[in-house]
Amino acid sequence: MHDSDELDDILNEIRNRQNPHTEDAPPKPEPPQTVDMPLFDQADAPTPAPKDLPENPTLPTEAAEETPAAPAMPEATPTADGREDVYTNVFSGTEETRAEATYTPPTRPLGDDEYPEEEMKKIILTGDRPTGKLHVGHYVGSLKRRVELQNSGEYDDIYIMIADAQALTDNADNPEKVRKNISEVALDYLSCGLDPEKSNLFVQSYVSELTELTFYYSNLVTVSRLKRNPTVKSEIQMRGFNASIPVGFFTYPISQAADITAFKATTVPVGEDQLPMLEQAREIVRSFNTTYDEVLVEPKALLPENEICSRLPGTDGKAKMSKSLGNCIYLSDEPEDIRKKIMSMYTDPDHIRIEDPGKLEGNTVFTYLDAFCKPEYFPEFLPDYQNLDELKAHYTRGGLGDVKVKKFLNKVLQAELAPIRARRKEWEQRIPDVLDILREGSKVAEAKAAETLNDVKASMRINYFDSDQSDM
């Protein structure tokens, strides 16, 4: 039992708890009304409750007056203790730093066609093996197009490689042959119009990163896949390797993939016979990017616009013009040498007499005319005909001899090759300058390949000693 005084004290304490605003208990101060910078755009800002709103307000009915527009949110103010970099979140009531309080409004995912495309640089990589001087097959198949592309202004970087390391794969016992032909190929490049101010001319073996890339890529290719490459098959048969094929030669599709990807080439001008090689390079790129990270660029082939130019036959009518077969007309040949080779060209074996109808299919002379002849050559060299179609029509119906057609072809080729031969003679007097061009171009190529090699090693996680590798 409690006495009356004690009971009165208990009742007063209960009343004080129910009503804190009494004389015995001073009113509790309201929390500071501090907010951060607006967390939404003003149109989306939540409406703050009025200070005098009762604890349990009556919800408005349909007949109630329209709610006035919410006032703009006040500017952010510092907390009550004066810390200007700390704010109170108006929703959670917790304190946040300025960085924590920053709000990024949610956005919907962009559609596939709405992502801004990163502009990829357009880069060309192409080249030749220095096993001899270049011939007219090289010229119409790639060299002429390279010059056009170089001068088009459409490409950011152009790399022209003298593939001496690749040439050694089937000339290991004769490195002197490769050595002396490096300058020969460079002279042919410059005489055809390749400009070192616009294209990087370089020597493959001076870019050691290519060898290391080849080593890594070799783990992504099977022996059976290399054996199925049609270009490798034909090259092995042509060289008579059989089972004694050198490993370096057998794996040169992998080396070629390293050459292309080292410079992030987007475009590779090739002849039709090199398409299987490029496709294998594309396979290696896809395999690497799937296995590791997407750091390699998948190249595309650029074929000659004239289908005839993609695979010019030899003067003997063989399927391929080859230095080893002795059926080439070289860019550096003298006029008399060109004439002799043309006059001995393979034509239609059944066209024995002038009046006999002749066949165009397989006729090397007309194949060369398709590759080199221009409309302006007819009024100058053969005014009896308006164009090549008229000449072909006369030959097929009979009454036109092979000698006349060959003489016309000789004049056409002399006109095409004369300026190339003249520029070559000029460059032959400047061999030190030619070597300087190759040296400087090789430096540029090496720097670019080093960047790609670093990307490859980082992607493969074998960049062990980089400063940020803390997970070892």
Side-chain angles (χ1 to χ4, degrees), residues 223-254:
V223 172
S224 60
R225 176 63 183 91
L226 287 172
K227 287 181 177 178
R228 293 197 305 271
N229 189 307
T231 305
V232 174
K233 281 183 178 180
S234 63
E235 295 284 349
I236 290 173
Q237 184 179 11
M238 187 177 72
R239 287 167 172 78
F241 282 141
N242 299 320
S244 61
I245 176 175
V247 173
F249 186 86
F250 182 62
T251 60
Y252 88 82
I254 306 175

Side-chain angles (χ1 to χ4, degrees), residues 155-174:
Y155 292 87
D156 298 283
D157 296 307
I158 299 177
Y159 295 91
I160 312 292
M161 180 179 70
I162 299 180
D164 62 322
Q166 195 178 109
L168 287 169
T169 60
D170 58 328
N171 290 279
D173 58 345
N174 191 8

Side-chain angles (χ1 to χ4, degrees), residues 410-422:
N410 176 57
K411 293 178 180 179
V412 168
L413 268 184
Q414 299 288 0
E416 289 284 308
L417 300 182
I420 296 175
R421 187 168 52 245

